[in-house]
């Protein structure tokens, strides 16, 4: 899974280089029509690669924790979180393609009878789910950590180390 995340991140980096060369990240008033179309075309790829890489990293970390804490309840909870990650990825992937009909309307607003769903809500959903899944990733191993036989101070320190992953 880590290797998949690496490949997705490399693909994302290459696509973003092209995007920034076409004005991605600049003020909309600086965009030409060709730049706007190019940005619209690569939005789906950027979103899919970013979410795919984030999900791959999360699943890798969860699978590592499953190997460290092989308890039945923890494995069950871990697989539920993995399933939630996969479902979130699939929903974002599908929404990226289906938010505009026809799909080309996302980057060419001159197409007659085209329409798009609320893209701000879609971006908000993506951000909230990413934050919640990251939070689940941090909280998931904490009960196992607190069951370890070590001093309370050490448990607090380890909890802090896990929690810094959220920052």
């Amino acid at each position: 899974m880590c290797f998949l995340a690496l490949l997705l991140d490399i693909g994302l980096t290459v696509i973003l280089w092209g995007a920034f060369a076409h004005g991605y990240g600049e003020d909309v008033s600086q965009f030409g029509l060709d730049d706007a179309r190019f940005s619209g075309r690569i939005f789906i790829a950027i979103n899919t690669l970013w979410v795919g890489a984030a999900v791959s990293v999360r699943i890798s970390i969860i699978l590592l924790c499953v190997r460290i804490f092989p308890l039945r309840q923890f494995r069950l909870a871990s697989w539920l979180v993995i399933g939630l990650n996969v479902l979130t990825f699939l929903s974002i992937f599908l929404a990226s393609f289906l938010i505009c009909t026809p799909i080309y309307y996302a980057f060419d607003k001159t197409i007659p009878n085209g329409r798009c769903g609320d893209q701000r809500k879609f971006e908000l959903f993506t951000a909230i789910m990413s934050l919640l899944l990251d939070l689940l990733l941090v909280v998931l191993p904490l009960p196992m950590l607190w069951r370890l036989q070590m001093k309370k101070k050490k448990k607090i320190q380890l909890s802090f180390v896990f929690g810094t992953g959220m920052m």
Side-chain angles (χ1 to χ4, degrees):
M1 289 309 278
C2 283
F3 186 69
L4 175 62
L6 175 65
L7 291 176
L8 292 171
D9 276 337
I10 290 170
L12 180 62
T13 300
V14 169
I15 289 173
L16 284 173
W17 278 341
F20 289 123
H22 285 273
Y24 206 75
E26 291 185 25
D27 190 73
V28 176
S29 64
Q30 304 295 323
F31 262 38
L33 184 58
D34 290 334
D35 291 334
R37 285 184 178 151
F38 181 80
S39 291
R41 284 186 185 119
I42 63 169
F43 173 76
I44 294 170
I46 289 171
N47 208 25
T48 302
L49 290 172
W50 176 74
V51 173
V55 166
S56 297
V57 168
R58 283 189 209 109
I59 290 174
S60 294
I61 293 169
I62 293 169
L63 291 175
L64 174 66
C65 289
V66 166
R67 292 183 75 186
I68 294 170
F69 305 114
L71 298 172
R72 186 181 187 287
Q73 290 175 326
F74 182 74
R75 275 187 291 159
L76 179 62
S78 297
W79 284 107
L80 287 173
V81 174
I82 288 173
L84 186 58
N85 270 279
V86 170
L87 288 175
T88 300
F89 170 75
L90 291 174
S91 66
I92 291 170
F93 177 77
L94 289 173
S96 294
F97 283 98
L98 301 175
I99 196 158
C100 292
T101 52
I103 193 169
Y104 300 110
Y105 190 73
F107 51 86
D108 187 359
K109 302 294 187 212
T110 62
I111 295 174
N113 299 324
R115 59 187 169 82
C116 288
D118 191 339
Q119 290 178 320
R120 287 186 188 263
K121 285 183 182 176
F122 171 59
E123 291 168 3
L124 184 63
F125 169 79
T126 302
I128 289 171
M129 286 307 295
S130 181
L131 182 64
L132 288 176
L133 290 170
D134 285 347
L135 183 63
L136 271 174
L137 183 64
V138 170
V139 171
L140 187 66
L142 290 182
M144 298 294 109
L145 181 72
W146 280 85
R147 290 183 187 160
L148 295 175
Q149 294 178 3
M150 60 176 68
K151 292 182 180 180
K152 191 173 184 176
K153 181 181 177 185
K154 197 71 143 174
K155 290 179 186 181
I156 292 170
Q157 290 171 336
L158 282 173
S159 296
F160 180 74
V161 168
F162 275 92
T164 56
M166 280 296 294
M167 294 181 199

